[in-house]
Amino acid sequence: MEMYANPGDKVLDMTFGRGVFWSNIEKKRYSVVTNDIDIKKGSVAADLRAMPLASETFDVIILDPPYVFGAGGKDMLDKQYGNNDYRKLGSPGPDAVVELFSDGMREAQRILKNNGIMIVKCMDFISGGKQRRISIRLLDEAIKIGLTDEDLFVLHQSGNPIMRHNYQLHARKNHSYFWVFRK
């Protein structure tokens, strides 16, 4: 955060949830607005795809929506976010995940100031025995809507990835990404 945000910058966390993004960041250094679809969790309560905020008002936007689905996905969403319903996300699956992120990125671009920074957290996964490289699809989407690829951080998670089967067909996904885009 310190690399891309200045003290006092107006920052929107579009998907605040439990505030995990801020675990190791001094939130008070910035003017932070938190959003969550659950009114009890954010200072704004809106769907990330249609924010009730003026255009070009934020210096930095954080986008980290839920991206768990499939077998056990609904339970995982409820446990992690405590407020999600697949009717809000559309049909569960990789395309719905990309659509949710893409819609959120377009909305973030609208409320992001020119030259502002958008940080998008995502994770690749395997679904239906196929690689789902969500990170690459989101990079393509960012470029398509006019954002510049500024940086990429790869975060390695501790522990072993969860596997549904006792055999392995693809590399296990034990990392996530923080894309940094500039408007």
Side-chain angles (χ1 to χ4, degrees), residues 71-91:
K74 173 74 169 91
D75 294 337
M76 265 309 256
L77 281 171
D78 286 341
K79 182 177 178 185
Q80 281 295 106
Y81 298 91
N83 57 13
N84 290 283
D85 182 331
Y86 277 126
R87 288 183 296 270
K88 294 175 187 161
L89 300 177
S91 300

Side-chain angles (χ1 to χ4, degrees), residues 45-130:
D47 186 314
L48 66 98
R49 299 169 286 188
M51 301 290 298
L53 302 167
S55 297
E56 299 185 1
T57 54
F58 289 89
D59 300 295
V60 178
I61 294 179
I62 311 301
L63 178 62
D64 179 13
Y67 45 80
V68 178
F69 69 92
K74 173 74 169 91
D75 294 337
M76 265 309 256
L77 281 171
D78 286 341
K79 182 177 178 185
Q80 281 295 106
Y81 298 91
N83 57 13
N84 290 283
D85 182 331
Y86 277 126
R87 288 183 296 270
K88 294 175 187 161
L89 300 177
S91 300
D95 292 334
V97 171
V98 171
E99 182 180 348
L100 178 67
F101 269 90
S102 297
D103 291 348
M105 288 170 62
R106 281 191 292 281
E107 183 64 359
Q109 184 186 36
R110 179 188 69 79
I111 55 182
L112 188 63
K113 291 179 181 177
N114 284 329
N115 207 35
I117 292 293
M118 183 187 310
I119 300 172
V120 180
K121 183 178 179 231
C122 64
M123 185 175 190
D124 294 340
F125 50 84
I126 299 168
S127 174
K130 296 180 184 175

